[in-house]
Structure formats: C-alpha cells, structure tokens
Amino acid sequence: MSVKYVTMALISQVDKGAYSNIALNETFKTLNINSKEKAFMTEIFYGVIRNKKFLDYIIDIYTKDIRKEWIRNLLRISIYQITFMNSDNKGIVWEVTELAKKKYGVPISKFINGTLRNYLRNKDLELKKLYDKKNYEVLYSIPKWFYDTFKNKKTSQSHLECNFTYFYFHFNNLICKIPN
C-alpha cells in the first residue's frame, strides 16, 4: 500500500478526533516500512496537520467544492509537498494523478492534475499575495485571535519570530498575559 494512502487515512483519523501521535505510532506498528519511508510519512502527516489552514485556503482558491475527504486529503498532501518540501513537483503531480485514477477514474485524476498544475503556475503569486496582505493567520495556519494577541501585545521582552514553516515564540510571562 502506498505511503500516501496510509497518510491520508491517518489525516482522516485526526480530523475525526484521534490523537496524531498515537494514530501514527499505532500505524507504524502495523506497517513493514523502512526508516526513510517512516520519516517521509511523518513529515507529510505532521506537515499537513500543522499547515491545514493554509492548505485548505489554497484548495478553496483552486476548486469549487470538494465533497470527498479522500480527494481533499490527497490535494493537501500534494500542495504541502509542493510548497514546503524540496520535491520534484512534476513527479508529485504524476504520482497523485495515478493514485486518483486508480481510486476514482480518469475524470477525477484530470481534476487533480489540473488543480495542482494551476497551483504550480501561480504558487509564488499566491504566497506573495498572502505576504502583501499580511494574512499571517492563513500563511502560518494559526487562529486569528492568536496572531492578533501577539501582534498587539508585542513589547521589548515579548517578540514574535517567524519563518514560513514554523512559528517560534519567546515571551516573558510576567509581562505578556495570554487569554484563556
């Protein structure tokens, strides 16, 4: 079974309330895969969970309505790989198109192919738009209230350091109060 199939099933479990670390560890116990495949699967799994708001935003731009959870998760995984991993983009598109063709047939595989190729053409523009609009809650996949709290409460002892993939916070608990 494909690592992406298993990862999509894990993402679905987490969407339904499962704990990500437990679901992943239980899955590893049942699979006979090498350490490189485990590392790849872990990166995709946690990367999609960590960036879900961003990924769904991008999917909503390029699609009208996706009713099948499997297709949404396949697009999430693919867009995550294209945006955040140093992967062969054409290879990603080809692989997920083949997965979709096996599961749902040619029309869905063409839909997946067109969506991903359209995103590939406009990826840099979409990211620039998010930066220019300062839409950081989507860009960093964090709740708006969380971003607003830190943006509005910045002091010399409390600052926000950002890079595109991860958020790092350093704040002084005595000065910055976080809402419950």
Side-chain angles (χ1 to χ4, degrees), residues 79-93:
I79 292 170
Y80 176 78
Q81 280 187 274
I82 290 167
T83 308
F84 297 102
M85 296 178 76
N86 189 14
S87 301
D88 174 28
N89 294 338
K90 290 179 183 177
I92 293 167
V93 173

Side-chain angles (χ1 to χ4, degrees), residues 44 82 113 124 163 165:
I44 291 176
I82 290 167
N113 186 359
D124 294 334
N163 79 22
T165 324

Side-chain angles (χ1 to χ4, degrees), residues 6-173:
V6 176
T7 307
M8 287 186 295
L10 283 170
I11 293 167
S12 294
Q13 288 177 22
V14 171
D15 285 346
K16 293 173 184 164
Y19 293 106
S20 59
N21 60 328
I22 294 171
L24 186 63
N25 288 333
E26 291 298 320
T27 301
F28 283 158
K29 289 177 186 175
T30 63
L31 294 176
N32 185 21
I33 57 176
N34 64 38
S35 60
K36 285 185 179 184
E37 289 174 324
K38 283 182 181 179
F40 178 70
M41 191 170 154
T42 302
E43 174 60 30
I44 291 176
F45 175 62
Y46 284 123
V48 168
I49 291 170
R50 192 173 46 239
N51 294 288
K52 190 176 288 188
K53 189 172 188 176
F54 169 79
L55 298 171
D56 286 343
Y57 173 84
I58 295 296
I59 290 169
D60 291 342
I61 289 173
Y62 291 99
T63 63
K64 288 184 181 176
D65 184 31
I66 298 178
R67 294 188 180 113
K68 301 242 183 256
E69 180 183 34
W70 190 89
I71 295 171
R72 180 170 287 276
N73 285 337
L74 187 62
L75 286 171
R76 284 175 177 162
I77 287 171
S78 305
I79 292 170
Y80 176 78
Q81 280 187 274
I82 290 167
T83 308
F84 297 102
M85 296 178 76
N86 189 14
S87 301
D88 174 28
N89 294 338
K90 290 179 183 177
I92 293 167
V93 173
W94 178 83
E95 182 184 15
V96 298
T97 301
E98 291 300 312
L99 288 174
K101 194 182 297 181
K102 287 178 187 171
K103 176 94 173 169
Y104 288 110
V106 174
I108 297 297
S109 70
K110 287 182 178 181
F111 167 75
I112 299 278
N113 186 359
T115 302
L116 292 176
R117 291 181 65 174
N118 197 10
Y119 175 64
L120 277 169
R121 278 191 295 275
N122 299 311
K123 178 179 83 166
D124 294 334
L125 179 64
E126 293 296 341
L127 296 175
K128 186 175 178 343
K129 278 188 211 175
L130 287 171
Y131 274 117
D132 291 347
K133 290 181 184 177
K134 297 184 179 180
N135 195 350
Y136 298 124
E137 60 271 6
V138 170
L139 198 57
Y140 299 116
S141 289
I142 57 172
K144 184 164 177 42
W145 69 265
F146 190 76
Y147 171 75
D148 289 341
T149 298
F150 281 95
K151 183 180 78 171
N152 296 332
K153 305 257 181 180
K154 279 201 291 190
T155 67
S156 59
Q157 282 85 20
S158 147
H159 62 279
L160 184 61
E161 299 171 3
C162 307
N163 79 22
F164 191 75
T165 324
Y166 301 98
F167 242 54
Y168 301 97
F169 295 99
H170 174 78
F171 60 91
N172 185 334
N173 287 332

